[in-house]
Amino acid sequence: MPEIDIGSPDGRREALRTMLLVREFENRVRDRFADNEIPGFVHLSQGQEAVAAGACGALADDDYITSTHRAHGHSLAKGLEPDRLLAELYGKEAGYCGGRGGSMHVSDLERGMLGAQPIVGASVPLGTGAGITAQLEDADWCAVAFCGDGSVAAGQVHEGINLAATWELPVVYVIENNQYSEGMVFDEQHNVEDLADMAASYGIPGEIVDGQDVEAVHETVSAARERALAGEGPTLVEAKTYRYRGHFEGDEEPYRSQEEVEEWIAERDPIENYAEVLAERGELSIDELEAMRADVEATMDAAVQFARDADEPAPEDAYDDVFVDPAPDVERFRERMETDGGQDGGAGR
């Protein structure tokens, strides 16, 4: 799924399908979470699909990304399979992290997904670290670090971008400005109109892109990636977008009106608008669009069934992947959990 040739009709249709998949995946997460099938906490990115599909579609398979607590779209666009991603949200053994990560900690190194980061702004220093690795290894890949507009007020974001700028690391920082930091509107948190202006303080390029336009995002991130691989350092990209759902599922959203949300959906939806663009160019018929929607829905029907049917992890598996070389206490706790069923986490109290 990654590395979309946006210059070809097939690539443009693939970009549309990626956005449809992200939207339908989160429709299922919304509904199954409401039915208490999915444990924990979920944050949806509906409305922001063009940023994920456009940015990840500009990357090669061996490029890396880091993400935020709103990571479903980035993960799918980078090539993670919807069935294993959904199984992870269900807490099942077949999930990408064995069910231990859930929605906000999913990762898959084989697909270049270094991890969702529930700590606000933590994706930026992690992306900077990946950039250091690439530079030390003289590698031909780069890292893209996604972060939200609210995270830009966090100190670690400035530290990470400043270090990457100073060392000219191959990193692209993509700020998804969805207008709200949890329940706070943008201009109540920031004293600038455009976050991309901050790039000047680091001495790097700052680009503003329409985050509802998948082709514009792809073009901007492609150029930033080329600059990074040429050894010219990082770029700060601000994608202006909007989230349709609350900060989290269950958020009553007292900070904005339903009319505002409906206006964005009616006038700025990245999927419906792009389908119209492709139709106007003669690259997508109504029948092809409906077939694409049906294919995505069938994919998600199968993914839901896969997640429901997948095995629960054994309690003692909670200690897997905690240490590269497990400490003696971990093995003792694991043995106790296997004996008593993990009632006290293996502590033996």
Side-chain angles (χ1 to χ4, degrees), residues 55-212:
C56 292
L59 304 181
D61 286 349
D62 54 358
D63 289 328
Y64 287 92
I65 67 168
T66 65
S67 184
T68 70
H69 55 281
R70 215 177 297 281
H72 307 151
H74 305 146
S75 301
L76 292 168
K78 193 63 176 73
L80 274 66
E81 299 296 335
D83 52 1
R84 290 191 61 198
L85 181 60
L86 193 58
E88 183 61 38
L89 271 62
Y90 269 72
K92 297 297 186 68
E93 187 178 16
Y96 277 101
C97 301
R100 295 186 293 275
S103 174
M104 292 192 285
H105 299 84
V106 67
S107 66
D108 180 36
L109 300 189
E110 291 185 3
R111 297 298 177 96
M113 171 50 167
L114 288 176
Q117 303 297 315
I119 299 172
V120 173
S123 55
V124 167
L126 183 61
T128 299
I132 293 173
T133 299
Q135 189 178 75
L136 289 175
E137 295 181 351
D138 195 23
D140 190 24
W141 54 263
C142 75
V144 170
F146 292 97
C147 61
D149 51 286
S151 73
V152 175
Q156 59 188 331
V157 171
H158 295 283
E159 293 167 10
I161 299 176
N162 182 64
L163 184 66
T166 304
W167 291 1
E168 297 184 328
L169 300 178
V171 186
V172 181
Y173 298 99
V174 178
I175 303 172
E176 292 181 289
N177 183 355
N178 65 19
Q179 318 297 320
Y180 289 94
S181 304
E182 293 196 10
M184 183 177 289
V185 69
F186 178 83
D187 59 10
E188 291 179 354
Q189 186 179 15
H190 301 286
N191 195 35
V192 294
E193 183 174 347
D194 301 310
L195 295 173
D197 290 348
M198 296 168 50
S201 65
Y202 307 119
I204 63 175
E207 304 288 346
I208 298 173
V209 64
D210 181 357
Q212 306 305 92

Side-chain angles (χ1 to χ4, degrees), residues 286-301:
I286 293 177
D287 288 345
E288 289 171 327
L289 176 60
E290 292 309 311
M292 193 181 294
R293 291 186 191 278
D295 177 66
V296 166
E297 289 175 1
T299 297
M300 286 312 308
D301 286 342

Side-chain angles (χ1 to χ4, degrees), residues 145-323:
F146 292 97
C147 61
D149 51 286
S151 73
V152 175
Q156 59 188 331
V157 171
H158 295 283
E159 293 167 10
I161 299 176
N162 182 64
L163 184 66
T166 304
W167 291 1
E168 297 184 328
L169 300 178
V171 186
V172 181
Y173 298 99
V174 178
I175 303 172
E176 292 181 289
N177 183 355
N178 65 19
Q179 318 297 320
Y180 289 94
S181 304
E182 293 196 10
M184 183 177 289
V185 69
F186 178 83
D187 59 10
E188 291 179 354
Q189 186 179 15
H190 301 286
N191 195 35
V192 294
E193 183 174 347
D194 301 310
L195 295 173
D197 290 348
M198 296 168 50
S201 65
Y202 307 119
I204 63 175
E207 304 288 346
I208 298 173
V209 64
D210 181 357
Q212 306 305 92
D213 183 338
V214 67
E215 290 186 19
V217 174
H218 189 287
E219 179 182 358
T220 301
V221 174
S222 290
R225 178 179 182 271
E226 289 179 9
R227 182 175 183 276
L229 294 181
E232 298 175 11
T235 300
L236 185 66
V237 176
E238 179 186 6
K240 307 271 193 182
T241 184
Y242 193 79
R243 61 169 159 81
Y244 294 165
R245 305 291 295 177
H247 173 63
F248 56 88
E249 284 302 286
D251 181 3
E252 296 181 353
E253 305 178 61
Y255 46 85
R256 66 179 180 183
S257 68
Q258 188 59 34
E259 288 75 17
E260 177 186 297
V261 178
E262 291 174 354
E263 183 176 340
W264 271 84
I265 294 174
E267 299 181 6
R268 300 294 317 280
D269 186 75
I271 297 175
E272 299 303 324
N273 288 355
Y274 195 52
E276 290 182 10
V277 167
L278 296 185
E280 290 171 358
R281 292 175 182 168
E283 297 179 357
L284 184 73
S285 67
I286 293 177
D287 288 345
E288 289 171 327
L289 176 60
E290 292 309 311
M292 193 181 294
R293 291 186 191 278
D295 177 66
V296 166
E297 289 175 1
T299 297
M300 286 312 308
D301 286 342
V304 170
Q305 199 59 51
F306 176 84
R308 284 173 170 166
D309 294 343
D311 293 335
E312 299 280 352
E316 59 270 23
D317 290 349
Y319 288 113
D320 288 351
D321 303 326
V322 176
F323 301 100

Side-chain angles (χ1 to χ4, degrees), residues 45-61:
S45 64
Q46 292 183 323
Q48 303 179 199
E49 293 88 350
V51 183
C56 292
L59 304 181
D61 286 349

